[in-house]
Amino acid sequence: MHPIAVAPLAPPAPRPLPERVSSRSVRFLRLRSALSAALIALCCLVVPCAALAAWAAYGLADTGRYARTMAPLATDPAVREAVADTVGDEVLHEVGVGAQAGAMGPFVQDAVRSFTQTEAFRAGWDAAMRATHTAVLRALREDDGRTGAVTVDLAPVTTRIKHELAADNVLLARHIPVRHTQVAILPAKELDGLRKGYHVLEVAALWLPVGAVVFAVAGIALATCRRRAVTATGLGTALGGALLGVAVAIGRHITLAGLPAEVSRPAAGAVYDALTGTLRTVSWLLLALGLTVALGAWLTGRDGPVRQRRRASAAPGRAPAQPPRRARA
């Protein structure tokens, strides 16, 4: 008997899905993708706003942290020069004008400059920063119907300068009057607006970070390809961090450009840089975190040779290879 070869049986062709069901599935997948993209975009937009609100509400609202941030400025040359010029002019104004005050000018300025290099000045600077911050924060948080400007008493600073001038044997230094002068640091007309803005910042600093996390989790969960969603979220977060850093730089330029002519630009720039140092650090952290997440998602999703073969063999329309059957006798 001659052997009879039997041809391998072909797998049954998959039944085509009804046209109505397939169209509904496509529409549903498109809706999921669009909603996922919208949620991820919202997350990326909210992240820099949340960082800004948290910095303003928590970073600037803590007196101890604010004092520690401003403490290094007591040794900044531009700040010390601005303080020396301002305080020296105030002392000369208290003494009087004319030839006598003009003759005392160089001595007063030198005494004030030497005073800004002492430990007493640094201690007075820290005390003044704490007193100023406490007064502003109390005015913003306590809505007690106050209508006047927020002021700080600078009599202790004047007393310190008077003692320094007297120790240097400056003429008429002991006759400089020490008055409890209330210096306005916050105008009354701006108090109501700043108070409302501060309350909005407190609410935004709490809910914006929560909203960013919720948007990110929901967008990734709804995505048809979660790896791409994670990559997009990481890249969007990195872009938000970069935009935050650019906004800080632009804000510095606008702030310095809008200052009056008598205000020292280097001193104001040093103060701005000290206050926004944490915000710049946060922008770099967001940039690094977003790029790291995106790179990790891309690396873990790359197809190796084994995965490529498995995916090619399981592709629709291509039957898996089967070994030929043995011929029967």
Side-chain angles (χ1 to χ4, degrees):
M1 294 179 66
H2 297 284
I4 300 175
V6 179
L9 298 177
R15 295 181 178 180
L17 295 176
E19 184 177 355
R20 181 179 302 176
V21 176
S22 60
S23 61
R24 287 181 179 178
S25 301
V26 171
R27 286 198 300 268
F28 178 70
L29 292 178
R30 289 178 178 176
L31 179 61
R32 283 184 55 183
S33 300
L35 185 58
S36 173
L39 290 173
I40 292 175
L42 282 176
C43 169
C44 299
L45 289 175
V46 168
V47 163
C49 299
L52 182 62
W55 165 78
Y58 299 127
L60 297 182
D62 185 85
T63 302
R65 187 179 295 111
Y66 177 82
R68 289 190 297 270
T69 301
M70 301 296 288
L73 294 178
T75 58
D76 187 271
V79 174
R80 291 191 305 189
E81 186 69 20
V83 171
D85 293 339
T86 303
V87 175
D89 293 341
E90 290 295 329
V91 171
L92 292 176
H93 178 72
E94 291 291 339
V95 172
V97 294
Q100 189 177 18
M104 289 183 58
F107 298 99
V108 171
Q109 294 293 339
D110 291 341
V112 175
R113 286 190 178 91
S114 63
F115 171 71
T116 58
Q117 301 177 4
T118 62
E119 290 293 336
F121 170 75
R122 286 187 281 273
W125 173 270
D126 183 72
M129 292 299 103
R130 289 179 179 273
T132 303
H133 189 271
T134 301
V136 173
L137 200 61
R138 184 184 300 115
L140 294 179
R141 287 179 173 175
E142 299 177 1
D143 191 0
D144 51 0
R146 175 184 302 184
T147 58
V150 181
T151 59
V152 174
D153 186 11
L154 296 182
V157 178
T158 307
T159 302
R160 286 284 186 179
I161 296 175
K162 178 180 178 180
H163 290 166
E164 288 291 328
L165 295 176
D168 292 339
N169 298 320
V170 177
L171 183 64
L172 300 179
R174 299 184 182 276
H175 299 283
I176 296 177
V178 178
R179 301 172 182 174
H180 292 276
T181 305
Q182 299 293 329
V183 179
I185 58 176
L186 196 60
K189 60 181 180 180
E190 300 179 2
L191 187 57
D192 291 337
L194 291 175
R195 185 182 288 120
K196 294 178 182 178
Y198 178 76
H199 293 325
V200 172
L201 279 177
E202 283 187 322
V203 176
L206 176 62
W207 290 108
L208 284 182
V210 176
V213 174
V214 171
F215 290 151
V217 173
I220 294 173
L222 287 175
T224 55
C225 181
R226 294 181 179 176
R227 180 178 61 84
R228 293 181 182 177
V230 172
T231 304
T233 304
L235 292 177
T237 302
L239 179 61
L243 292 178
L244 181 61
V246 172
V248 172
I250 295 176
R252 186 182 193 276
H253 175 74
I254 295 175
T255 301
L256 297 184
L259 292 176
E262 61 272 11
V263 178
S264 173
R265 296 294 191 280
V271 174
Y272 184 91
D273 293 338
L275 290 177
T276 58
T278 303
L279 200 57
R280 291 195 305 272
T281 303
V282 170
S283 67
W284 282 109
L285 288 177
L286 289 176
L287 179 62
L289 178 62
L291 292 178
T292 302
V293 171
L295 181 61
W298 179 73
L299 291 177
T300 55
R302 295 182 64 183
D303 292 338
V306 177
R307 184 177 296 180
Q308 289 178 356
R309 288 197 297 269
R310 290 178 179 176
R311 182 170 297 180
S313 62
R318 180 182 298 178
Q322 295 182 356
R325 297 184 179 182
R326 295 181 179 181
R328 293 185 300 177

